[in-house]
Amino acid sequence: MPMNTTIEYEVTGKYALFSEVATRIGGEKSSYQVPTYQALRGITESIYWKPTIEWYIDEVRVVNRIQTEGKGIRPIKMSGGNDLSYYTYLKDVRYQVRAHFEWNDNRGDLAQDRNPAKHLDIAKRALARGGRRDIFLGARECQGYVEPCTFGEGKGFYDDYGELDLGYMFFCFRYPDNRGDDRFTRKFWRVKMRDGVITFPRPDDESLDEFLVSDKKATPRFTLGRNLKSVEEES
């Protein structure tokens, strides 16, 4: 894109739980040490989302020290009643995020909705108001709050900490709407944090490990003027 489409924001919360199916054995849930790309993209889309654009997360800065807290939870069972499970949450989290949007090239039917200045203006207004939808930090019980910030501003616990290997983690889902076909996949990678900052590759980067979930997932349909407002109508 010829112009800047970047937003920077801070997201905070009392608790967070960033997990993946493989980490929920026996109904227990244990959070990764840091948010996944998918979780941050979900937060960004809760601030502002349209099928015309695709958000890319460039970097996340872990400002507060990584801390965990275990809780006994009684989730409702499908058969009725409830059971006791133990969830391990992150607590007192604070992250700075830098993200930008690009056109979703697989949605040529929405090409007339491509006005970068207006999309960016709406996104910044939505961010200033705390987002268009509720912000959740990996789980619905973990409420988050967003506000504009300058990425890298302020003191962080991991400033000058050096490199920290956080291991092999879930990265993101790739949906047909973004892939341009009927495949639904999930991706993984090995995460390294340097001085509190994680720099993300693009979701289509070949260094990511990709696994097929389904090859028959349909692309959602949107039509301007029917079930989707144009950016001109929203601005």
Coordinates of all heavy atoms in Angstrom, one line a residue, residues 10 15-16 20 34-35 48 59-60 73 109 119 126 129 137 162 169 185 194 207 214-215 218 226 229:
E10 N -2.0 -0.4 23.2 CA -1.6 -1.2 24.4 C -2.9 -2.0 24.9 O -4.0 -1.4 24.9 CB -1.2 -0.2 25.5 CG -0.7 -1.0 26.8 CD 0.0 0.0 27.8 OE1 1.2 0.3 27.5 OE2 -0.6 0.4 28.7
Y15 N -6.2 -10.9 33.9 CA -5.8 -12.3 33.5 C -5.9 -12.5 32.0 O -6.6 -11.8 31.3 CB -6.8 -13.3 34.2 CG -6.7 -13.4 35.7 CD1 -7.7 -12.7 36.5 CD2 -5.7 -14.0 36.3 CE1 -7.6 -12.7 37.9 CE2 -5.6 -14.0 37.7 CZ -6.5 -13.4 38.5 OH -6.4 -13.4 39.9
A16 N -5.1 -13.5 31.6 CA -5.1 -13.9 30.2 C -4.9 -15.4 30.1 O -4.3 -16.0 31.0 CB -4.0 -13.2 29.4
E20 N -4.0 -23.6 23.2 CA -4.3 -24.3 21.9 C -4.9 -25.6 22.3 O -4.6 -26.1 23.4 CB -3.0 -24.3 21.1 CG -3.2 -24.7 19.6 CD -3.0 -26.2 19.4 OE1 -2.3 -26.8 20.2 OE2 -3.6 -26.7 18.5
V34 N 3.2 -16.2 26.4 CA 3.0 -14.9 25.7 C 1.8 -15.1 24.8 O 1.4 -16.2 24.5 CB 4.2 -14.5 24.9 CG1 5.4 -14.1 25.8 CG2 4.6 -15.6 23.9
P35 N 1.2 -14.0 24.3 CA 0.0 -14.2 23.4 C 0.5 -14.7 22.0 O 1.6 -14.4 21.6 CB -0.5 -12.7 23.3 CG 0.6 -11.9 23.7 CD 1.4 -12.6 24.7
Y48 N -11.3 -3.2 15.1 CA -12.0 -2.9 13.8 C -11.7 -4.0 12.8 O -10.6 -4.4 12.6 CB -11.4 -1.5 13.3 CG -12.0 -1.2 11.9 CD1 -13.3 -0.9 11.7 CD2 -11.1 -1.2 10.8 CE1 -13.8 -0.6 10.4 CE2 -11.6 -0.8 9.5 CZ -13.0 -0.6 9.3 OH -13.4 -0.3 8.1
E59 N 4.6 -6.7 15.5 CA 5.4 -7.0 16.8 C 4.5 -6.9 18.0 O 3.4 -6.2 18.0 CB 6.5 -5.9 16.9 CG 7.5 -5.9 15.8 CD 8.5 -4.8 16.0 OE1 8.1 -3.6 15.9 OE2 9.7 -5.1 16.4
V60 N 4.9 -7.5 19.0 CA 4.3 -7.4 20.4 C 5.4 -7.2 21.4 O 6.5 -7.8 21.3 CB 3.4 -8.6 20.8 CG1 4.2 -9.9 20.8 CG2 2.7 -8.3 22.1
I73 N -11.6 -24.4 38.5 CA -12.8 -24.0 37.7 C -13.8 -25.1 37.6 O -13.4 -26.3 37.5 CB -12.4 -23.5 36.3 CG1 -11.3 -22.4 36.4 CG2 -13.6 -23.0 35.5 CD1 -11.7 -21.1 37.0
D109 N -14.3 -9.0 -4.9 CA -15.7 -8.5 -5.0 C -15.9 -7.3 -4.1 O -16.9 -6.6 -4.3 CB -16.6 -9.6 -4.6 CG -16.3 -10.2 -3.2 OD1 -15.1 -10.3 -2.9 OD2 -17.2 -10.7 -2.5
H119 N -10.3 3.7 6.1 CA -10.3 2.5 6.9 C -9.4 2.8 8.1 O -9.7 2.4 9.3 CB -9.7 1.3 6.2 CG -10.7 0.6 5.3 ND1 -11.8 -0.1 5.9 CD2 -10.9 0.5 4.0 CE1 -12.5 -0.6 4.9 NE2 -12.0 -0.3 3.7
A126 N -12.0 3.8 16.4 CA -12.5 2.7 17.2 C -11.6 2.4 18.3 O -12.0 2.0 19.4 CB -12.7 1.5 16.3
R129 N -11.9 4.5 21.3 CA -13.1 4.2 22.1 C -13.0 2.8 22.8 O -14.0 2.4 23.3 CB -14.3 4.3 21.2 CG -14.6 5.7 20.7 CD -15.8 5.7 19.7 NE -16.3 7.1 19.4 CZ -15.7 7.8 18.5 NH1 -14.6 7.4 17.9 NH2 -16.2 9.1 18.2
L137 N -8.8 -11.7 26.3 CA -7.4 -12.1 26.2 C -7.3 -13.6 26.2 O -6.9 -14.3 27.2 CB -6.6 -11.5 27.4 CG -6.7 -10.0 27.5 CD1 -5.9 -9.5 28.7 CD2 -6.1 -9.4 26.2
G162 N 17.9 -9.5 26.7 CA 18.5 -10.4 25.8 C 17.5 -11.3 25.1 O 16.3 -11.1 25.2
M169 N 5.2 -23.1 19.6 CA 3.9 -22.6 20.0 C 3.0 -22.5 18.7 O 3.5 -22.5 17.6 CB 4.0 -21.1 20.5 CG 4.5 -21.0 21.9 SD 4.6 -19.2 22.4 CE 3.0 -18.6 21.9
T185 N -6.3 -24.3 7.7 CA -5.1 -24.9 8.2 C -4.7 -24.2 9.5 O -5.2 -23.1 9.9 CB -3.9 -24.8 7.3 OG1 -3.6 -23.4 7.0 CG2 -4.2 -25.5 5.9
R194 N 13.2 -11.0 22.1 CA 14.5 -10.3 22.3 C 14.1 -8.9 23.0 O 13.4 -8.1 22.4 CB 15.2 -10.0 20.9 CG 15.7 -11.3 20.3 CD 16.3 -11.0 18.9 NE 16.8 -12.2 18.3 CZ 16.1 -13.1 17.6 NH1 14.8 -12.9 17.4 NH2 16.6 -14.2 17.1
S207 N 8.7 -20.5 6.7 CA 9.4 -21.1 7.9 C 8.4 -21.6 8.9 O 8.8 -22.4 9.8 CB 10.2 -20.0 8.5 OG 9.4 -19.0 9.1
S214 N -9.1 -28.8 7.6 CA -10.2 -29.2 6.7 C -9.9 -28.7 5.3 O -9.3 -27.6 5.2 CB -11.5 -28.6 7.3 OG -12.5 -28.8 6.3
D215 N -10.3 -29.4 4.3 CA -10.2 -28.9 3.0 C -11.5 -28.7 2.3 O -11.6 -28.6 1.1 CB -9.4 -29.9 2.1 CG -10.0 -31.3 2.1 OD1 -11.1 -31.5 2.7 OD2 -9.4 -32.2 1.4
A218 N -16.1 -23.5 3.5 CA -16.5 -22.5 2.5 C -16.1 -21.1 3.0 O -16.0 -20.8 4.1 CB -18.0 -22.5 2.4
R226 N -25.9 -5.0 1.0 CA -26.8 -6.0 1.5 C -26.5 -6.4 2.9 O -27.3 -6.2 3.8 CB -26.8 -7.3 0.6 CG -27.8 -8.3 1.0 CD -27.6 -9.6 0.2 NE -27.7 -9.4 -1.3 CZ -27.5 -10.3 -2.2 NH1 -27.1 -11.5 -1.8 NH2 -27.6 -10.0 -3.5
K229 N -21.7 -2.7 5.1 CA -21.7 -1.3 4.8 C -20.3 -1.0 4.1 O -19.3 -1.5 4.5 CB -21.9 -0.5 6.0 CG -23.3 -0.4 6.6 CD -23.4 0.5 7.7 CE -24.8 0.7 8.3 NZ -24.8 1.6 9.4

